[in-house]
Amino acid sequence: MKNNIDIYDVMRCPDCDSDDCYEYSTDEIEFGVNGTGHYHVDCHCKKCGKNFRLYTEFEYSIKKAYTR
């Protein structure tokens, strides 16, 4: 990873700022041909019970490709 941040580092509750959250649904994920993408995910905070949507933008690189 380029900057060592993963989805769980940014999945924080907007109400109580807890990081004790989990993904319960993926709304949208897109990988652009230019190495960028976005990920919209529905999350739940275990601490306060709030449901929220997390929007992320990311860069990616392909490490391996194969066909079967």
Side-chain angles (χ1 to χ4, degrees):
M1 231 181 269
K2 198 181 279 189
N3 56 9
N4 295 325
I5 294 174
D6 65 33
I7 193 68
Y8 297 106
D9 292 329
V10 296
M11 189 182 296
R12 299 192 69 86
C13 179
D15 277 8
C16 71
D17 199 39
S18 172
D19 64 354
D20 192 11
C21 304
Y22 64 88
E23 167 192 345
Y24 67 87
S25 177
T26 298
D27 177 54
E28 182 177 322
I29 187 165
E30 182 175 304
F31 292 85
V33 296
N34 63 352
T36 65
H38 67 262
Y39 179 51
H40 303 172
V41 59
D42 295 321
C43 307
H44 178 79
C45 177
K46 294 183 198 176
K47 182 177 178 184
C48 74
K50 170 130 178 118
N51 291 333
F52 61 95
R53 180 159 289 166
L54 173 65
Y55 300 90
T56 65
E57 295 178 1
F58 59 87
E59 295 179 352
Y60 70 91
S61 63
I62 297 173
K63 303 291 184 194
K64 181 179 180 179
Y66 61 94
T67 59
R68 295 178 94 173

